[in-house]
Amino acid sequence: MKHSMKHDRHGPRRLPLALCLALACSGASLWSSAARAASNDNNVEWNGLFHDQGPLYDSAAEPTASTPVTLTFRTFKGDITSANIKYYDSADSQFHWVPMHWVANDATGTYDLWQGTIPASGSEKYYRFQINDGSATAWYNAAGISSSEPAFGDFFIIPGFKTPDWMKNGVMYQVFPDRFYNGNPNNDVTDGQYTYAGCATEKHAWGTSVVANVSGCNTEVFFGGDLKGVIDKLGYIRHTLGADIVYLNPIFRSPSNHKYDTANYYRVDPAFGSNATLRRLIGAIHDQSQDPRGYLILDGVFNHSGDSNCWFGAQSYGTKRCRKPGADVSQASPYYSYYTFQHWPDSYSAFFGFPSMPKLDYGASGSATRNQIYGSYNSVMQTYLAPPYGIDGWRLDAAQYIDAGGNNGSDATNHQIMQEMRTAVLAANPNAEILGEFWGDASAWLDNGREWDGAMNYNGFTQPASEWICGVDYSGNGASITPSQLDGWLHGTRADLPTDVQQTMSNFLGSHDTSRFATRCGGDIWKTYLGLIFQMTYVGTPTIYYGDEYGMQGGADPDNRRTFDWSQATTANGAVALTQQLVRIRNQYPALRTGSFMTLLTDDAHDIYAYGRVDQANRIAVVLNGTGNTETVTVPVYELSVTDGSQLTDLLSGSKYTVSGGSVTLNVEGHYGAILAQ
Ligand code: CA
Ligand code: CA
């Protein structure tokens, strides 16, 4: 749940200009100048330097305590005299040096490759490279290249930490259940069925306005979508689009259409079906005859409950009641400690002060609240991870605010709770995903290997993609960036995170908390095409908010939650067809999921951005055109060690290009791209 007033939105970590990013400053011309001219001349050629934690440069992406990590570093051939790894070991709080040795040239003969090995141990480590050519020294780490030793931005080694491989390799589809598909008209909320927070329920016809007839009552507008509808349309998600991970906005019993105010965590809302319907949905998603099997992530709203929850008990919704009175009904309630009262019963901590969302008080380790939410075998989180449900992960709503004593989190207690939660979740399902909601730099929950696997990537994908492609930020305010700025933003936000975390960040064009991408882009479907190509070739788990795959329109909440238009859900829609093609391409090429990321071109004058995705099997150059016109682009593919005379095939168009002089030249349509592979 977003609340725009107080979300902590750190800006992107924009790097100082002095830190020239590894390859952003390079171009085709270098091939014939610096590369050929490199020598031991007391000058390190920055444009030749490259390392990341991709499979060609790091022998163990997710090492255990017994795995040594061999690192490979690239320079221009003959450029340098020596190279060293310098790493900080948290075991002794000291820096250690590993001299590197020359091992090989690349396939083009343009580069030297150097290696060194960090010995195995269980402690976290952070490393950087020192590159020397005689009297000259350059430093290289995840943040970039500098002439003086960097103070931050090293690469991470976190032995024993692992993010789910299915999340790294999957494509996620986000469903807002009331608005996706009505699979069972018999369970629809009807006009005036009940009244909540002064609003009578309204049943609107599919395809009509999401705005309530009564002002201020938008969260009591219902369309009838449900879990049976997700089951019925699983073929569209799995086969038409090819997505294998379903993320559902909240589904538990709640009086609102968004269900971020939970009345009963142990029951599916009756308008969405029953717990048996949820089990049927999970069975259909997990169907082993599908290849690959699918995965389900549920939305966990654990910062606050609804005031209709019987733990709180001021109101009731639905039929199930606690046997004992709620905390707001009796100070003798067994749930009294679940909430924080400043003055019982009328003053209590709530999500941004909304009385309908009383904040859960997590107390100290071992508290009743912690056991209720995650700590015990019958806790909410473990119940759905275990049989007969067996969900694959939790998305944590408003997770930064989870805390004790009515405080709004982001402190030591919040991190302690998140660590306990991870331990409990992985004990119940070692392959489970923990996906946190945080709008800014989420590295505080992601850089230690003990809390989340990934986060909703507003900061490192949604925002820069919107600003570059649409010229507005995700709130729709004017903000435009160049390819150079985009590249610096992406580089900086990746550098904040361990590589396996980067690969499971949820990259979406829009969400239930932003206006629709297509609307931010002025309804130009070509900008959706460009957004999809970027999303499906970038680092992280592509996440499609239902309808974005056909360019669904909509402004801010509630307009971003319109009903799905099923007449668009075929490959007759160009964006749906492109989504299908892109998902297939992503599924076919592991380099697009877990390969290195290498900037190839940032042409601000022509609004062109090109990058490489590389592993042992494939070398792929992605070219994106941010203008509305066809542009002729020369891509320096030698940086991917693609040899002259070999061919690259555009996986989108099928066109083939022969490499000459270290590069290929091609025409790229406006607001479109090319995915050049070999
Ligand atoms: Ca040199
Ligand atoms: Ca229904």
Side-chain angles (χ1 to χ4, degrees):
M1 165 166 292
K2 171 195 174 186
H3 200 277
S4 58
M5 289 186 295
K6 293 189 181 175
H7 266 291
D8 182 5
R9 290 181 193 156
H10 297 290
R13 184 182 289 184
R14 295 182 196 272
L15 298 171
L17 287 176
L19 288 177
C20 175
L21 299 179
L23 294 151
C25 344
S26 68
S29 62
L30 292 166
W31 188 79
S32 57
S33 54
R36 288 276 166 84
S39 64
N40 291 156
D41 56 355
N42 298 313
N43 176 44
V44 178
E45 304 285 349
W46 286 15
N47 291 318
L49 308 183
F50 183 78
H51 168 84
D52 72 0
Q53 293 179 312
L56 294 176
Y57 296 92
D58 182 336
S59 66
E62 294 183 313
T64 67
S66 60
T67 320
V69 181
T70 296
L71 304 174
T72 301
F73 194 90
R74 195 196 73 182
T75 69
F76 278 138
K77 183 179 180 180
D79 179 36
I80 68 165
T81 51
S82 68
N84 296 291
I85 301 164
K86 183 179 181 183
Y87 70 93
Y88 178 87
D89 191 333
S90 60
D92 61 5
S93 303
Q94 302 287 324
F95 282 100
H96 301 262
W97 292 81
V98 175
M100 304 186 82
H101 57 278
W102 181 92
V103 289
N105 292 118
D106 79 320
T108 66
T110 307
Y111 297 108
D112 284 328
L113 300 172
W114 299 72
Q115 278 187 349
T117 299
I118 295 180
S121 79
S123 54
E124 291 162 32
K125 303 171 193 73
Y126 311 94
Y127 68 86
R128 61 191 67 163
F129 298 92
Q130 183 203 50
I131 317 300
N132 305 302
D133 180 8
S135 61
T137 293
W139 293 88
Y140 188 107
N141 68 8
I145 309 175
S146 54
S147 53
S148 55
E149 187 163 4
F152 69 92
D154 286 349
F155 293 99
F156 297 81
I157 293 177
I158 308 177
F161 175 62
K162 180 166 175 45
T163 61
D165 289 338
W166 58 266
M167 192 72 181
K168 297 183 185 87
N169 291 298
V171 173
M172 189 150 71
Y173 194 75
Q174 177 185 350
V175 170
F176 192 84
D178 184 57
R179 309 292 161 82
F180 185 58
Y181 185 66
N182 187 352
N184 178 10
N186 296 324
N187 61 14
D188 296 2
V189 173
T190 55
D191 271 329
Q193 181 175 328
Y194 57 87
T195 297
Y196 182 70
C199 292
T201 57
E202 297 180 18
K203 170 73 187 299
H204 288 205
W206 205 264
T208 64
S209 174
V210 295
V211 177
N213 301 321
V214 178
S215 177
C217 288
N218 293 335
T219 64
E220 299 305 317
V221 171
F222 293 88
F223 287 88
D226 48 35
L227 297 189
K228 174 69 161 46
V230 182
I231 295 171
D232 289 350
K233 295 300 184 182
L234 210 50
Y236 170 72
I237 297 170
R238 298 298 312 278
H239 302 302
T240 305
L241 299 179
D244 60 333
I245 306 168
V246 176
Y247 154 45
L248 296 178
N249 284 105
I251 60 169
F252 302 125
R253 189 183 285 264
S254 152
S256 66
N257 55 33
H258 56 65
K259 312 220 176 292
Y260 281 101
D261 43 4
T262 314
N264 185 343
Y265 292 94
Y266 291 95
R267 290 289 179 272
V268 168
D269 191 272
F272 286 174
S274 65
N275 289 40
T277 323
L278 174 60
R279 291 197 297 273
R280 281 205 291 132
L281 172 62
I282 294 167
I285 290 173
H286 285 176
D287 184 351
Q288 295 292 343
S289 70
Q290 310 287 313
D291 182 27
R293 63 157 267 190
Y295 300 85
L296 177 66
I297 293 176
L298 292 182
D299 207 328
V301 190
F302 302 134
N303 171 67
H304 51 271
S305 73
D307 64 350
S308 60
N309 195 302
C310 69
W311 299 339
F312 191 80
Q315 301 184 42
S316 67
Y317 161 71
T319 55
K320 182 160 175 74
R321 300 283 292 162
C322 298
R323 293 188 182 88
K324 304 277 187 175
D328 201 45
V329 176
S330 166
Q331 286 179 283
S333 167
Y335 313 105
Y336 188 77
S337 66
Y338 285 24
Y339 300 94
T340 311
F341 289 94
Q342 286 79 42
H343 183 268
W344 187 88
D346 49 304
S347 177
Y348 50 85
S349 297
F351 182 64
F352 290 107
F354 295 120
S356 62
M357 299 183 189
K359 198 168 156 32
L360 288 166
D361 188 329
Y362 280 74
S365 283
S367 72
T369 312
R370 295 190 190 199
N371 285 335
Q372 182 78 68
I373 298 299
Y374 60 81
S376 66
Y377 77 93
N378 58 0
S379 62
V380 176
M381 295 183 79
Q382 293 194 41
T383 291
Y384 292 101
L385 290 163
Y389 301 99
I391 67 167
D392 302 285
W394 283 104
R395 179 257 188 190
L396 302 176
D397 179 65
Q400 83 222 56
Y401 305 116
I402 290 176
D403 207 338
N407 294 319
N408 267 331
S410 303
D411 64 3
T413 304
N414 176 273
H415 290 290
Q416 180 201 42
I417 293 165
M418 292 301 152
Q419 290 181 25
E420 290 183 1
M421 193 181 280
R422 179 178 188 82
T423 301
V425 165
L426 294 191
N429 177 351
N431 288 315
E433 163 75 14
I434 301 169
L435 175 64
E437 182 195 18
F438 189 72
W439 289 55
D441 171 10
S443 55
W445 293 271
L446 294 167
D447 66 3
N448 58 34
R450 291 188 289 273
E451 300 183 38
W452 305 344
D453 294 298
M456 297 185 71
N457 203 6
Y458 289 100
N459 186 47
F461 180 79
T462 312
Q463 187 73 299
S466 188
E467 294 192 12
W468 181 53
I469 298 171
C470 305
V472 298
D473 65 18
Y474 52 51
S475 303
N477 302 312
S480 191
I481 55 173
T482 64
S484 297
Q485 290 170 316
L486 172 66
D487 185 63
W489 189 329
L490 298 174
H491 190 121
T493 48
R494 284 197 312 277
D496 288 334
L497 304 172
T499 295
D500 52 355
V501 171
Q502 298 171 30
Q503 292 166 349
T504 60
M505 293 294 280
S506 170
N507 291 339
F508 46 90
L509 296 171
S511 77
H512 60 289
D513 282 332
T514 67
S515 57
R516 287 281 180 174
F517 180 82
T519 295
R520 275 180 270 131
C521 275
D524 183 343
I525 197 67
W526 284 85
K527 293 185 178 179
T528 289
Y529 297 162
L530 177 59
L532 288 166
I533 297 168
F534 178 33
Q535 176 185 36
M536 294 293 171
T537 55
Y538 188 57
V539 183
T541 308
T543 303
I544 302 166
Y545 180 48
Y546 79 103
D548 278 356
E549 74 274 22
Y550 68 73
M552 189 197 284
Q553 302 273 320
D557 176 7
D559 197 35
N560 53 2
R561 303 169 183 184
R562 295 184 191 177
T563 53
F564 195 93
D565 177 0
W566 284 98
S567 73
Q568 302 296 322
T570 80
T571 51
N573 178 290
V576 171
L578 179 61
T579 301
Q580 179 186 73
Q581 185 182 18
L582 287 164
V583 174
R584 285 177 180 171
I585 291 168
R586 187 175 177 92
N587 288 343
Q588 189 180 348
Y589 291 89
L592 295 173
R593 292 147 17 210
T594 51
S596 286
F597 182 97
M598 196 181 289
T599 302
L600 297 177
L601 196 62
T602 54
D603 183 341
D604 293 347
H606 298 94
D607 212 16
I608 300 293
Y609 185 41
Y611 48 84
R613 302 301 313 274
V614 183
D615 65 7
Q616 290 94 339
N618 296 102
R619 291 148 296 279
I620 299 174
V622 178
V623 188
L624 304 177
N625 180 357
T627 75
N629 312 310
T630 297
E631 297 282 344
T632 302
V633 184
T634 297
V635 187
V637 292
Y638 76 91
E639 296 183 22
L640 308 176
S641 295
V642 170
T643 55
D644 275 2
S646 67
Q647 278 195 330
L648 291 159
T649 302
D650 181 359
L651 302 176
L652 290 173
S653 70
S655 299
K656 295 182 187 303
Y657 302 91
T658 300
V659 182
S660 175
S663 64
V664 291
T665 298
L666 68 158
N667 290 327
V668 181
E669 283 184 276
H671 294 131
Y672 208 70
I675 304 173
L676 307 170
Q678 74 166 216

Short mmCIF file of all heavy atoms in Angstrom, two decimals, residues 182-188 224-226 271, ligand 2:
data_model
loop_
_atom_site.label_atom_id
_atom_site.label_comp_id
_atom_site.label_asym_id
_atom_site.label_seq_id
_atom_site.Cartn_x
_atom_site.Cartn_y
_atom_site.Cartn_z
N ASN A 182 -14.25 -12.15 -13.60
CA ASN A 182 -15.30 -12.66 -12.73
C ASN A 182 -15.61 -14.10 -13.11
O ASN A 182 -16.34 -14.37 -14.06
CB ASN A 182 -16.55 -11.78 -12.86
CG ASN A 182 -17.62 -12.16 -11.84
OD1 ASN A 182 -17.50 -13.16 -11.13
ND2 ASN A 182 -18.66 -11.34 -11.76
N GLY A 183 -15.02 -15.03 -12.36
CA GLY A 183 -15.21 -16.44 -12.67
C GLY A 183 -16.44 -17.04 -12.01
O GLY A 183 -16.83 -18.16 -12.34
N ASN A 184 -17.01 -16.33 -11.05
CA ASN A 184 -18.17 -16.85 -10.33
C ASN A 184 -19.11 -15.71 -9.96
O ASN A 184 -18.96 -15.08 -8.91
CB ASN A 184 -17.72 -17.60 -9.07
CG ASN A 184 -18.90 -18.12 -8.27
OD1 ASN A 184 -20.05 -18.09 -8.74
ND2 ASN A 184 -18.64 -18.58 -7.06
N PRO A 185 -20.09 -15.43 -10.80
CA PRO A 185 -21.01 -14.31 -10.52
C PRO A 185 -21.81 -14.50 -9.24
O PRO A 185 -22.34 -13.53 -8.70
CB PRO A 185 -21.95 -14.31 -11.75
CG PRO A 185 -21.18 -15.03 -12.81
CD PRO A 185 -20.35 -16.07 -12.11
N ASN A 186 -21.87 -15.72 -8.73
CA ASN A 186 -22.68 -15.97 -7.54
C ASN A 186 -22.07 -15.41 -6.26
O ASN A 186 -22.77 -15.29 -5.25
CB ASN A 186 -22.91 -17.48 -7.36
CG ASN A 186 -23.71 -18.06 -8.52
OD1 ASN A 186 -24.62 -17.41 -9.04
ND2 ASN A 186 -23.34 -19.26 -8.94
N ASN A 187 -20.77 -15.11 -6.27
CA ASN A 187 -20.17 -14.58 -5.03
C ASN A 187 -19.96 -13.08 -5.08
O ASN A 187 -19.34 -12.51 -4.18
CB ASN A 187 -18.84 -15.31 -4.74
CG ASN A 187 -17.81 -15.12 -5.86
OD1 ASN A 187 -17.98 -14.25 -6.73
ND2 ASN A 187 -16.76 -15.92 -5.82
N ASP A 188 -20.49 -12.41 -6.09
CA ASP A 188 -20.25 -10.97 -6.22
C ASP A 188 -20.85 -10.19 -5.05
O ASP A 188 -21.95 -10.50 -4.58
CB ASP A 188 -20.87 -10.43 -7.52
CG ASP A 188 -20.25 -11.02 -8.77
OD1 ASP A 188 -19.35 -11.87 -8.64
OD2 ASP A 188 -20.68 -10.64 -9.87
N GLY A 224 -16.70 -7.81 -9.07
CA GLY A 224 -16.99 -9.24 -9.09
C GLY A 224 -15.84 -10.16 -9.44
O GLY A 224 -16.00 -11.38 -9.44
N GLY A 225 -14.67 -9.59 -9.76
CA GLY A 225 -13.52 -10.45 -10.03
C GLY A 225 -13.20 -11.32 -8.82
O GLY A 225 -13.50 -10.95 -7.68
N ASP A 226 -12.58 -12.48 -9.06
CA ASP A 226 -12.38 -13.43 -7.96
C ASP A 226 -11.30 -14.45 -8.32
O ASP A 226 -10.72 -14.41 -9.42
CB ASP A 226 -13.71 -14.13 -7.61
CG ASP A 226 -14.42 -14.66 -8.85
OD1 ASP A 226 -13.72 -15.10 -9.79
OD2 ASP A 226 -15.67 -14.62 -8.88
N ALA A 271 -16.12 -12.91 -1.33
CA ALA A 271 -16.35 -12.40 -2.69
C ALA A 271 -15.27 -12.86 -3.66
O ALA A 271 -15.43 -12.74 -4.88
CB ALA A 271 -16.42 -10.88 -2.67
CA CA B 2 -17.39 -13.06 -8.62
#
